[in-house]
Each structure stands twice: as structure tokens, then as C-alpha cells.
Amino acid sequence: VDDVTLYRAVKPEELADIQTTGQLINRGSAEGKYFSATSEGAASYARQAYYGFGDPPYTLVRTQVPAGSLTSETRAVVDRGVQTVVLPNEILPSLVPEILPWMPIPVP
């Protein structure tokens, strides 16, 4: 089974969790975490949240998920057309997040 690369823009608190534990942890009440199919999509979300909500700067994280764990129920389109995958909390411990030293510049 092939793996699919996914991207997530994370705030400083989530980045600290990843740096400390090496895992993606859901500390809220949501049933999962949102990921983008592209780095540009994650960057677009980060840009919208930064300018729209006054969020702190985001960091880009990349991970791999088995293609078989993605279904039509896990896919969504959010925030002005960003292709998104919602992964349930039970999958998160199996993911290996890689902190990237770059973030693409999204097109406004």
C-alpha cells in the first residue's frame, strides 16, 4: 500500500508538542486533525488564520499516512478551496511528523 504525503500548519503550542513528544497530539475536544494534501494548501490556511484571526506565525509539518486510511469521509474542502483530509484521533499516534524549515508563499 502506498503512503500519501499530507501537510499541516501548526501554531507554536502544537509545534512544541511535536518537538517534545515526536507526535501529533490532539489536546482539544475535536475528533481529529485537519491536514492539507499540498504544502500550498496548508500555507494558505496559515495565511488566512494569521491575517484573519491574528494567529501567531505557523510552522509547516509533513507526514505520511497509508493511502488505505483515506476514504471519502475523511476528505473535505475548507477555507476557500483548500483540499483537506481529516484524520481521526486514533490514527494520530501512528503518524511521524516532520517539521519543515520552510513554508511556501500562498497566492492571495
Side-chain angles (χ1 to χ4, degrees):
V1 173
D2 290 335
D3 285 344
V4 175
T5 301
L6 298 175
Y7 298 87
R8 179 170 170 81
V10 299
K11 292 182 188 178
E13 299 84 13
E14 188 171 357
L15 178 63
D17 271 348
I18 293 167
Q19 290 169 324
T20 302
T21 67
Q23 292 189 320
L24 292 154
I25 299 171
N26 193 344
R27 299 210 181 271
S29 59
E31 295 181 13
K33 287 192 176 283
Y34 286 77
F35 294 82
S36 174
T38 66
S39 58
E40 293 81 7
S44 175
Y45 168 80
R47 181 180 192 277
Q48 290 176 60
Y50 178 81
Y51 287 109
F53 306 125
D55 281 5
Y58 284 73
T59 299
L60 188 62
V61 174
R62 175 173 54 203
T63 192
Q64 303 272 324
V65 64
S69 61
L70 302 180
T71 66
S72 60
E73 290 82 32
T74 62
R75 297 180 188 274
V77 178
V78 298
D79 301 314
R80 300 184 183 162
V82 176
Q83 296 291 324
T84 305
V85 174
V86 183
L87 297 180
N89 289 332
E90 56 267 18
I91 291 178
L92 299 180
S94 69
L95 303 179
V96 178
E98 176 188 359
I99 299 166
L100 299 176
W102 52 268
M103 175 84 74
I105 298 173
V107 177

